[in-house]
Amino acid sequence: MEKPKFDTVFFERYAMITLHSILGEHFAHLKNCDRPDLQDVAHGIGIEVTRAIKENRIEAEMLINEMAGAEIFNFNEADRQRALQYGYSYGLIYGSSMGKLERQYWSLALPLKRIIKSKVQKVSDGFYGFFPEFGLYIFSKDNLTQTEIELAAQYTIDLQRDNKIRYSELFISQINQLSVCDLQTQTIDNYPISNDQCNQFYCAAVE
């Protein structure tokens, strides 16, 4: 089997699986595309997926490990081999450093405020086309408080207040919680993610 290259597909698929599993049928028909990353054209849904972490290798390695449910470490051998073929879990399984391509890729991840500003500008400029329901899905390594999540949602609302094309939802994905921020009604719902679910989502994303 050809080893897939290290790229954004893992995170997009992880986000897609998470949305469907936790939020249900509304997100059952998303497809992994480009501009934006996840699309359901028939139902007018477009979701851009990105990461907001501190710009260093250790943070990146820790995020991947935690996304995999590393605390319970219950991969069977088939799961381990799939993960190794994909190239994400060398640190998780063997404790070794990430490779050069992985370090280069993770250096593109930005802290939360900067990534929100960049993505709001891009959606406003029409870079992702137009969807009636636009979502921004952000993986965060930082353990955000509820107040910080509320501030991130309000920052997004303020930035795009006068924009014609804007995000209607902000998804902040932490290791053990998915926060769904409705930017139109200005409400936030938090959904817990268990270690078992992390492991399930991770293994499905590397299929």
Side-chain angles (χ1 to χ4, degrees):
M1 178 188 296
E2 182 181 354
K3 177 180 174 180
K5 64 180 181 178
F6 187 94
D7 56 19
T8 60
V9 172
F10 168 79
F11 300 95
E12 293 160 8
R13 292 180 65 177
Y14 194 104
M16 182 169 61
I17 293 161
T18 301
L19 288 170
H20 183 197
S21 297
I22 292 178
L23 300 181
E25 285 303 303
H26 183 67
F27 296 106
H29 305 289
L30 290 171
K31 297 187 182 301
N32 194 184
C33 302
D34 190 29
R35 296 188 185 181
D37 299 313
L38 305 178
Q39 299 179 23
D40 177 353
V41 175
H43 295 94
I45 304 172
I47 299 172
E48 180 66 7
V49 179
T50 189
R51 299 143 315 282
I53 62 170
K54 294 173 185 174
E55 299 168 29
N56 64 65
R57 177 181 60 80
I58 294 174
E59 288 288 314
E61 197 169 52
M62 287 175 62
L63 176 59
I64 290 174
N65 290 355
E66 291 172 11
M67 286 170 65
E71 291 181 14
I72 55 173
F73 209 76
N74 64 354
F75 284 138
N76 60 38
E77 187 56 32
D79 290 336
R80 288 171 186 266
Q81 291 306 314
R82 276 198 300 272
L84 285 172
Q85 287 172 343
Y86 206 82
Y88 281 91
S89 56
Y90 292 106
L92 171 65
I93 296 175
Y94 296 118
S96 60
S97 298
M98 298 176 75
K100 179 180 178 182
L101 290 178
E102 293 159 358
R103 287 197 299 272
Q104 289 175 345
Y105 177 71
W106 275 101
S107 71
L108 300 177
L110 299 171
L112 189 59
K113 189 173 182 179
R114 280 198 288 157
I115 201 69
I116 289 174
K117 184 176 182 179
S118 171
K119 294 298 182 180
V120 165
Q121 185 62 56
K122 283 188 174 182
V123 80
S124 175
D125 290 343
F127 185 76
Y128 303 123
F130 177 76
F131 287 83
E133 180 181 344
F134 253 127
L136 177 59
Y137 190 109
I138 303 177
F139 288 98
S140 175
K141 175 66 181 70
D142 293 330
N143 186 22
L144 302 177
T145 66
Q146 184 64 22
T147 297
E148 289 170 327
I149 293 169
E150 291 169 2
L151 288 172
Q154 189 60 53
Y155 178 67
T156 308
I157 291 168
D158 292 342
L159 275 180
Q160 63 179 17
R161 192 178 301 279
D162 298 323
N163 295 350
K164 183 177 180 181
I165 307 176
R166 65 185 75 174
Y167 293 107
S168 52
E169 292 170 304
L170 173 66
F171 305 98
I172 299 179
S173 182
Q174 300 181 84
I175 300 308
N176 60 358
Q177 178 178 284
L178 176 66
S179 296
V180 181
C181 310
D182 188 319
L183 303 176
Q184 297 173 313
T185 63
Q186 300 188 30
T187 57
I188 299 173
D189 293 312
N190 297 314
Y191 299 86
I193 301 175
S194 68
N195 277 341
D196 284 324
Q197 285 176 307
C198 285
N199 181 246
Q200 173 192 340
F201 299 162
Y202 180 93
C203 291
V206 299
E207 285 286 351

